[in-house]
């Protein structure tokens, strides 16, 4: 699976959009980009995933560059409850589907 | 809808004692199952995964073992716990087709 690079930490003001970048320059054509988050003392929570096109759901938007070498997770109106570690993972769908979590980005939403 | 149950929520065990953590999934069949561990202040480490009954793959050599006696049951065990086995243990499942994982609430294990 392709390696991902994320900033260690980011701050965001409450009510503003949080833009979390992820670099995956070695991504293969059949690898998806998945985003998860882990709130303190809880299990990770799936947020969104995509292959080529931008995706949006009730939680967030995922913007994937045309060359697919990087992506951005957008939380449109961050709240204090969005404070968490956000993980970007690239993965080929397959029989195992095992997810290897890196260090992620600690997003701190400030009041 | 699918749910995942993991218990107990917290556990304090002495060094050298055995361990058995159980995870069950409801509402789906033939899932892939996973055990992760998170040491204090550290990242998530994949310990074991299973694609079917009796099929276990180990990611990291350690003092732990896993078993899958039934399709939707995944058990993490140890014969003799070490202090370094302390951590937050999480069970998860995915379908065969996509890497969208659903996690249990976790077990916080403290070995004393």
């Amino acid at each position: 699976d392709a390696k991902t690079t994320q900033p260690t930490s980011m701050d965001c003001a409450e009510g503003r959009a949080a833009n979390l970048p992820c670099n995956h320059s070695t991504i293969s054509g059949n690898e998806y980009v998945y985003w998860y988050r882990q709130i303190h003392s809880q299990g990770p929570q799936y947020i969104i995933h995509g292959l080529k096109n931008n995706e949006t759901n009730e939680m967030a938007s995922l913007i994937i560059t045309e060359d697919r070498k990087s992506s951005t997770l957008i939380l449109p109106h961050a709240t204090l409850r969005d404070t968490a570690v956000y993980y970007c993972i690239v993965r080929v769908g397959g029989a195992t589907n095992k997810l290897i979590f890196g260090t992620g980005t600690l997003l701190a939403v400030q009041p | 809808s699918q749910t995942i149950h993991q218990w107990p929520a917290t556990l304090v065990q002495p060094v050298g004692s055995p361990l058995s953590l159980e995870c069950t999934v409801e509402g789906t069949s033939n899932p892939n199952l996973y055990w992760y561990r998170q040491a204090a202040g550290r990242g998530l480490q994949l310990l074991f995964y299973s694609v079917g009954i009796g099929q276990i793959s180990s990611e990291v050599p350690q003092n732990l073992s896993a078993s899958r006696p039934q399709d939707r049951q995944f058990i993490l065990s140890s014969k003799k716990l070490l202090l370094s086995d302390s951590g937050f243990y999480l069970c998860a499942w995915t379908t065969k087709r996509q890497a969208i994982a659903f996690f249990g609430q976790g077990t916080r294990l403290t070995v004393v």
Side-chain angles (χ1 to χ4, degrees):
Chain A
D1 297 327
K3 179 179 171 58
T4 62
T5 304
Q6 299 177 253
T8 303
S9 63
M10 294 181 64
D11 288 343
C12 177
E14 190 177 17
R16 304 296 293 270
N19 298 291
L20 294 101
C22 180
N23 183 289
H24 32 80
S25 57
T26 61
I27 192 169
S28 301
N30 58 350
E31 287 184 309
Y32 288 77
V33 180
Y34 291 83
W35 282 84
Y36 286 78
R37 73 179 183 184
Q38 186 178 20
I39 295 170
H40 184 61
S41 296
Q42 297 183 23
Q45 177 190 23
Y46 164 79
I47 301 173
I48 199 167
H49 76 284
L51 182 63
K52 295 180 183 178
N53 301 320
N54 299 336
E55 303 286 346
T56 295
N57 63 20
E58 65 279 2
M59 290 182 67
S61 295
L62 173 61
I63 308 298
I64 302 174
T65 59
E66 192 169 344
D67 63 8
R68 303 211 322 123
K69 292 185 176 181
S70 65
S71 61
T72 301
L73 178 75
I74 301 173
L75 307 179
H77 304 287
T79 71
L80 298 178
R81 288 178 295 179
D82 292 322
T83 293
V85 177
Y86 287 78
Y87 299 97
C88 167
I89 303 169
V90 295
R91 184 75 181 95
V92 176
T96 63
N97 275 330
K98 57 181 181 178
L99 290 165
I100 305 300
F101 288 81
T103 54
T105 296
L106 174 59
L107 175 67
V109 180
Q110 309 291 344
Chain B
S1 62
Q2 303 91 351
T3 56
I4 179 168
H5 301 280
Q6 191 181 339
W7 66 92
T10 59
L11 192 59
V12 179
Q13 292 285 99
V15 168
S17 65
L19 173 73
S20 181
L21 301 180
E22 188 166 341
C23 170
T24 59
V25 180
E26 295 179 357
T28 188
S29 60
N30 196 26
N32 289 345
L33 298 172
Y34 310 83
W35 278 111
Y36 287 86
R37 176 173 64 196
Q38 190 168 36
R42 307 292 295 275
L44 284 155
Q45 181 184 38
L46 178 62
L47 301 176
F48 300 95
Y49 67 92
S50 171
V51 299
I53 296 174
Q55 300 178 63
I56 308 295
S57 296
S58 174
E59 289 292 294
V60 182
Q62 62 226 312
N63 185 40
L64 301 168
S65 62
S67 61
R68 184 171 177 174
Q70 301 180 41
D71 181 46
R72 290 170 288 179
Q73 184 185 29
F74 206 22
I75 297 172
L76 183 70
S77 304
S78 174
K79 292 182 179 178
K80 290 185 178 181
L81 283 169
L82 306 172
L83 288 174
S84 57
D85 291 324
S86 293
F88 189 43
Y89 288 82
L90 288 155
C91 179
W93 74 272
T94 68
T95 66
K96 295 284 188 288
R97 293 170 58 183
Q98 287 194 333
I100 298 174
F102 299 92
F103 285 79
Q105 293 301 302
T107 295
R108 194 162 300 282
L109 171 68
T110 304
V111 182
V112 296

